[in-house]
Amino acid sequence: MLIGVDEYQHFPPLPAVRNNLTELAKLFRSPLGGSLPNRHCTTVLNPTDISSALDPVHRAASEASDTLVVYFAGHGTRLPDGSLRLAVRNSERGRKQYASVAFDDLRAEVLDSTAVNKVVILDCCYSGAALEGFMGSTDEVADETTIEGTYVMTASAATQAAMAPPDALLTAFTGELVKAIANGIAEVPDPLDMSSLYKYVHGRLRSQGMPLPQQRAGGLGHDIALFHNKWSPPTEKPTLSAKRDEWFHEIHHELLGRLGNVSALAHDRLRPEFGDPALIRSLLVARIAVQLAQGKSTTTISGMLSSSGVFATPCPSTDELSELIAEVQFRYETDGLANSVPFLGGLGLFPWTPESTYMLLSEYWAAQRSRTMPRPHVERELSDLWDTTDTRVLSAHSSLPSLPLVTYPDPWEKLKAEPDLRVGTVTSMMLGERGGGDRAWEHWMSTRPWSTLTARHLVQLGGDLVRCKAAQRTLAQYVDLAPAGPHNSRAVLLRAAEIIEEQLKDIALAIESISAIEYDLLRERTADEHFQDGCLATFSKHLLKRSQAFTPFEEHKMNHGTWAAIPWWSLVVYGKQEQRAVEDFLKRGGLQLGVAAESPDADELVISCEEPDLGPSWITARLIFDLRDVVQACELLLLGRRQSVVVDFLTEHIDEWDDRQVHLAGSLDLSLGREIGATLTDVATRALRRLLPGSPGPSLHHEGVPALDRLLSSSRLPRIARCPR
């Protein structure tokens, strides 16, 4: 039973709803949906009143014996008591709520059905988002739609209402549902159960920054299957190298997803001899993000791009390059260059360190380039095209193998080929529960600073590493205790230990072939690092959700704040003498930092900034962080982990109308150094643990700290300290 309303007398139209019904009906009637006969797949478009909407549901509920599915798309409203109303064509706003379908009535019809399985799918809006082409809802919808013994999925907006733009063919929620069914879902069995459908749709909408759906199930509702899974597993198991390439393709997709219409990145604007155009575009975007995070102006970045050598002749114009820079800046301010926060599409790339993303991509580019070019040539191109000048970095980049992980042996496949069944069985047990491998795997997975859904090569490699280490420790104990006897159990254990040792050597070789950024995502994390990752993820999410607007500071002192998801400072100077001093200082560069705190557990931390040896400009300032304030503690942690900050030097001018004009005199990218960074990180971590007692960090597959999320939701975030360029 597919019900939809795309035309209303008193609500904005929703033209995509008509297409929703058409596409879903096709799928139900196709082989994917079991070739459902037309008489068992009813479509009701634009019911005018309650009876014309509920009578078909009543008939379907009476006739269904195996599975009843009711789908509704259209506007929705909520009464003051929280109950849900589904708007039909003649429904009105305000007091005439009785002209809309009460969801309780629809639920009663579904409950009364003799069908074994019952599924309700709601793609509806609320009157609070009654603008043309918008559909909205609230997080509480699914709570009031639970039907025992069935499954309910709702399209519910948590942070925004845009779900059906006027030019969209389908609504956002139903569109992803249709894609999942029509294309199939990888790594999911056939048929598709409702839980698998939900996880896919939820992940897709989340990656696009769309409202997130919700689900509720009673009994075995999660296992209800309505469609076959069109996806089929590959005939050959992909190598780790193939999985790694898939990860990089996803990175390109996320970085470039909303930049497709920028003329400077068009295919014919790039020189083809430098390799994969998607990789070149991704490198350009990441490099711009790095330049922006280091305080460079649009003019400076535009000059860097025009001289980079990757563009075809004629090079994009200044206006085209400025457009590209503006688009990258907008995306960095709103989502950290990702379609979702806090991590780049679940790929493990952090918005507070765009440099790591740029380094990862440049290493990958150099490895691909080395397939056809000698190492000295690749090093020259790294320097000329991508501004990599450190000789150690050049050497490390150009020496990475072009096809890493291709020969990496799967330990489980090796065990299948083991001729001695006893050895294979014992080794499998050691890698699993008996040897502590399962526990080591679960712990490692729970402390990942990134989603495990996409970086499959790191999941496999890291999982093998921690399992093998745990198995090695357990086997060493068993070998020491095993007596030599007629059953020769000691020899079996020794052979199992040899297999584990061989695998660990293969893992070490594989790790040497991947980039430094991948290794950092792979390595085991301490409890403090895990807690810090979760806090930074949560804080970044809040920073990127707010609107970015610079407000000149009133105080005549140095101010700390943020821009996008990174720390930023500003200092206002007055008078021509001070301005000249700053101009001279910016030419010389350099600031000396000092950190003062009574103890690591102090309530306040002071960072002093001054020109070395109190130079001729006599620049000196103090920044105070209140560690009882959760926002300032998070800001300090961000500063410590990034280990650098940009300082904007601002000048003030009062015009003839007494209006205050603030201008950017220049910016200084200030490196804190490892020692100061470690001190700030330690102090901030202690402060956050005091403010969040009992919070260990994110749980498995969760990317934030709930207790911190609640505190930040009710707190005032730091001001935007970055002056517009």
Side-chain angles (χ1 to χ4, degrees):
M1 175 53 56
L2 307 174
I3 307 170
V5 188
D6 70 335
E7 296 178 355
Y8 286 90
Q9 289 188 359
H10 305 287
F11 287 86
L14 298 170
V17 168
R18 182 184 295 263
N19 297 325
N20 285 2
L21 301 192
T22 301
E23 294 301 317
L24 285 174
K26 286 180 183 177
L27 291 171
F28 274 111
R29 293 165 181 162
S30 73
L32 291 175
S35 300
L36 200 64
N38 288 345
R39 66 181 183 278
H40 289 167
C41 182
T42 304
T43 298
V44 177
L45 181 63
N46 293 326
T48 57
D49 52 25
I50 296 173
S51 296
S52 59
L54 287 184
D55 285 350
V57 176
H58 176 79
R59 286 194 296 271
S62 302
E63 296 172 4
S65 58
D66 180 81
T67 302
L68 171 66
V69 180
V70 178
Y71 167 90
F72 173 83
H75 283 293
T77 60
R78 295 187 65 196
L79 297 186
D81 63 3
S83 61
L84 175 63
R85 294 274 179 163
L86 309 178
V88 292
R89 184 169 184 173
N90 295 338
S91 296
E92 296 186 33
R93 303 176 186 275
R95 296 180 57 194
K96 286 192 176 182
Q97 297 292 346
Y98 56 79
S100 299
V101 176
F103 180 79
D104 287 343
D105 292 339
L106 185 146
R107 175 167 51 188
E109 290 296 334
V110 174
L111 279 172
D112 196 43
S113 174
T114 57
V116 177
N117 303 313
K118 306 176 183 72
V119 175
V120 175
I121 301 174
L122 300 177
D123 191 349
C124 61
C125 69
Y126 288 92
S127 56
L131 299 175
E132 181 181 357
F134 282 74
M135 300 179 70
S137 57
T138 65
D139 291 337
E140 297 84 1
V141 180
D143 295 330
E144 61 137 317
T145 56
T146 302
I147 305 173
E148 281 299 314
T150 69
Y151 179 90
V152 180
M153 190 188 304
T154 65
S156 179
T159 59
Q160 54 182 315
M163 292 179 62
D167 57 347
L169 181 64
L170 304 173
T171 61
F173 168 73
T174 299
E176 293 302 336
L177 196 64
V178 166
K179 288 179 187 176
I181 299 166
N183 301 329
I185 304 176
E187 310 293 344
V188 171
D190 183 33
L192 284 174
D193 58 75
M194 297 306 298
S195 180
S196 298
L197 270 177
Y198 169 79
K199 290 177 182 177
Y200 175 86
V201 173
H202 187 279
R204 290 291 303 167
L205 293 173
R206 183 178 177 278
S207 72
Q208 299 167 32
M210 289 289 185
L212 300 181
Q214 295 184 10
Q215 64 173 346
R216 294 291 186 274
L220 299 177
H222 287 297
D223 298 326
I224 296 173
L226 303 179
F227 298 93
H228 287 292
N229 188 4
K230 188 176 181 180
W231 177 84
S232 58
T235 55
E236 294 185 5
K237 190 174 182 179
T239 65
L240 272 189
S241 185
K243 293 179 180 179
R244 183 174 186 258
D245 287 340
E246 289 177 6
W247 184 57
F248 276 99
H249 287 315
E250 286 293 327
I251 292 174
H252 303 334
H253 175 75
E254 293 291 340
L255 284 175
L256 303 172
R258 298 183 184 178
L259 298 171
N261 296 324
V262 179
S263 60
L265 293 181
H267 188 276
D268 59 352
R269 309 306 295 274
L270 303 173
R271 291 171 62 182
E273 63 266 30
F274 293 128
D276 180 10
L279 177 54
I280 300 298
R281 292 189 189 99
S282 298
L283 271 163
L284 286 170
V285 170
R287 189 178 183 188
I288 293 170
V290 170
Q291 298 282 309
L292 290 169
Q294 293 174 354
K296 303 295 174 55
S297 67
T298 298
T299 302
T300 300
I301 301 174
S302 180
M304 174 271 295
L305 291 174
S306 61
S307 63
S308 66
V310 299
F311 290 107
T313 304
C315 179
S317 67
T318 301
D319 288 343
E320 289 177 310
L321 293 176
S322 297
E323 177 198 19
L324 171 60
I325 297 166
E327 288 292 332
V328 174
Q329 177 174 324
F330 174 76
R331 288 203 54 206
Y332 192 67
E333 289 175 347
T334 54
D335 58 18
L337 278 182
N339 289 334
S340 60
V341 294
F343 300 148
L344 180 54
L347 297 163
L349 309 179
F350 309 130
W352 55 87
T353 57
E355 293 84 358
S356 65
T357 302
Y358 182 55
M359 180 179 291
L360 173 72
L361 291 171
S362 59
E363 287 180 333
Y364 184 69
W365 177 85
Q368 304 303 305
R369 194 75 174 135
S370 66
R371 294 181 184 180
T372 56
M373 293 293 173
R375 180 172 168 178
H377 185 90
V378 175
E379 290 186 9
R380 284 197 302 273
E381 288 186 336
L382 279 168
S383 177
D384 296 341
L385 299 178
W386 307 116
D387 198 31
T388 304
T389 55
D390 190 307
T391 55
R392 292 170 299 178
V393 176
L394 283 170
S395 177
H397 279 18
S398 61
S399 63
L400 285 173
S402 60
L403 292 170
L405 312 181
V406 171
T407 60
Y408 176 76
D410 187 323
W412 305 102
E413 295 297 325
K414 286 173 62 176
L415 293 180
K416 289 179 183 178
E418 173 59 41
D420 190 328
L421 181 61
R422 294 178 303 166
V423 171
T425 302
V426 168
T427 310
S428 296
M429 291 170 59
M430 292 299 102
L431 290 170
E433 183 177 357
R434 289 287 297 274
D438 286 350
R439 292 191 300 276
W441 158 257
E442 291 170 1
H443 173 73
W444 180 79
M445 287 283 283
S446 69
T447 60
R448 292 306 84 211
W450 43 278
S451 168
T452 60
L453 299 178
T454 307
R456 296 192 298 157
H457 70 298
L458 296 181
V459 172
Q460 182 178 338
L461 190 59
D464 289 349
L465 176 62
V466 295
R467 284 184 184 276
C468 286
K469 284 184 175 180
Q472 187 180 52
R473 291 190 295 267
T474 305
L475 277 169
Q477 297 173 359
Y478 283 160
V479 168
D480 291 341
L481 297 175
H487 298 294
N488 205 14
S489 60
R490 183 181 178 85
V492 171
L493 291 171
L494 286 172
R495 175 56 188 150
E498 287 179 5
I499 293 174
I500 296 298
E501 179 65 28
E502 291 169 2
Q503 188 66 33
L504 282 170
K505 290 180 180 178
D506 290 327
I507 292 172
L509 289 174
I511 290 175
E512 288 179 6
S513 72
I514 61 178
S515 67
I517 304 303
E518 288 171 283
Y519 173 73
D520 188 59
L521 296 173
L522 187 73
R523 68 177 177 81
E524 295 188 61
R525 270 163 162 69
T526 66
D528 272 351
E529 285 178 317
H530 177 52
F531 176 71
Q532 293 161 11
D533 289 334
C535 289
L536 288 176
T538 308
F539 188 49
S540 295
K541 179 185 70 174
H542 283 268
L543 291 176
L544 295 171
K545 281 197 308 184
R546 65 178 183 169
S547 60
Q548 299 284 325
F550 172 77
T551 302
F553 298 109
E554 299 297 333
E555 300 87 351
H556 185 180
K557 64 178 183 181
M558 202 165 188
N559 295 278
H560 58 80
T562 59
W563 174 69
I566 59 176
W568 208 279
W569 295 348
S570 66
L571 175 63
V572 180
V573 295
Y574 295 85
K576 292 183 178 180
Q577 183 176 353
E578 290 188 8
Q579 292 177 22
R580 283 195 297 269
V582 165
E583 291 172 0
D584 293 340
F585 166 73
L586 288 172
K587 292 177 183 178
R588 297 189 305 274
L591 266 181
Q592 185 172 298
L593 293 181
V595 177
E598 296 177 2
S599 72
D601 296 312
D603 291 333
E604 187 178 272
L605 181 135
V606 178
I607 299 178
S608 60
C609 309
E610 60 184 29
E611 191 174 0
D613 301 321
L614 285 181
S617 68
W618 285 78
I619 291 178
T620 179
R622 297 169 75 247
L623 293 166
I624 301 175
F625 288 84
D626 182 357
L627 300 179
R628 295 163 298 185
D629 182 329
V630 68
V631 172
Q632 295 198 30
C634 286
E635 190 184 341
L636 192 67
L637 177 62
L638 192 63
L639 184 65
R641 284 288 290 269
R642 180 159 172 76
Q643 295 187 8
S644 68
V645 63
V646 175
V647 183
D648 279 353
F649 291 90
L650 310 177
T651 61
E652 184 182 65
H653 172 67
I654 305 298
D655 61 22
E656 60 268 29
W657 296 283
D658 290 332
D659 290 332
R660 185 185 185 207
Q661 303 290 330
V662 175
H663 302 285
L664 177 65
S667 300
L668 177 68
D669 188 13
L670 181 62
S671 174
L672 277 63
R674 290 188 178 182
E675 184 176 346
I676 290 179
T679 299
L680 299 183
T681 299
D682 179 56
V683 171
T685 303
R686 289 170 179 266
L688 286 167
R689 287 201 180 279
R690 293 195 302 271
L691 293 166
L692 306 167
S695 292
S699 58
L700 184 62
H701 301 317
H702 187 75
E703 298 175 340
V705 179
L708 178 60
D709 188 65
R710 290 191 293 271
L711 280 178
L712 291 174
S713 295
S714 58
S715 301
R716 186 174 182 178
L717 293 175
R719 291 181 289 187
I720 306 299
R722 181 183 189 267
C723 183
R725 265 52 188 158

